[in-house]
Amino acid sequence: MLFFIDTANLDQIKEANDLGILDGVTTNPSLMAKEGITGQANIIKHYVDICNIVDGPVSAEVISTDFNGIIEEGKRLADLHDNIVVKVPMIKDGIKAIAWFTEHDIATNCTLVFSAGQAILAAKAGATFLSPFIGRVDDTNWDGVSLIKDIAEIYAIQGYETSILAASVRNSKHIVDCAKAGADVVTCPLSAILGLLKHPLTDIGLEQFLADHQKAAK
Ligand code: G3P
């Protein structure tokens, strides 16, 4: 399972990249706004800055919702850097645009996915990545991880090549559950990645080892 970081914060992207386990980055308009990145020129520069940090797919989301607008915006984004993946919402014109990008060898990430039916449609259109939002499913009192499991089962039966990119991951347990459920990629905040490190017995054991080493050295 690949690890992407879900942020537009350059310091956090660098920190995750320095860990040596980062495979890519996802952003969205809300994450860009959170970092105060506004205006077309700044947004474009920010995507290039991210691509220059991480050697892997970087999802950049279109804000157009009509076919022609999505195509024009997506082409401009894809031209920025080889790492760019054009992120397209799960809407009718979005699916049509993903099919067009597939025909023209432009990588896509179909976003805002909440059902297995949507996942089938995106795979039929040839999406490179599919982003089911598991945390937001959990928020509605349904089970986000079981959506990943359903999609993984369907994709395996049907032989679809679209990668399942579990998104809206909120914590470290989500990451472990997604790995069990068959996600190809998880995109998560830095806190969820770092949370995987934590176990009290590791801390206690290390403290003991270091204390014993000190004692023996006296
Ligand atoms: O990957 C999608 C993500 O950014 C949405 O996360 O926590 O706003 O549901 P969240």
Side-chain angles (χ1 to χ4, degrees), residues 6 26 28 31 87 133 135-136 139 167-170 187:
D6 193 30
T26 52
N28 62 40
L31 294 172
K87 203 170 179 189
F133 276 30
R136 292 190 193 186
D139 290 343
S168 183
V169 164
R170 304 268 175 80
T187 189

Side-chain angles (χ1 to χ4, degrees), residues 167-187:
S168 183
V169 164
R170 304 268 175 80
N171 53 56
S172 308
K173 184 169 186 302
H174 266 159
I175 299 177
V176 174
D177 290 344
C178 283
K180 277 165 68 181
D184 300 295
V185 189
V186 272
T187 189

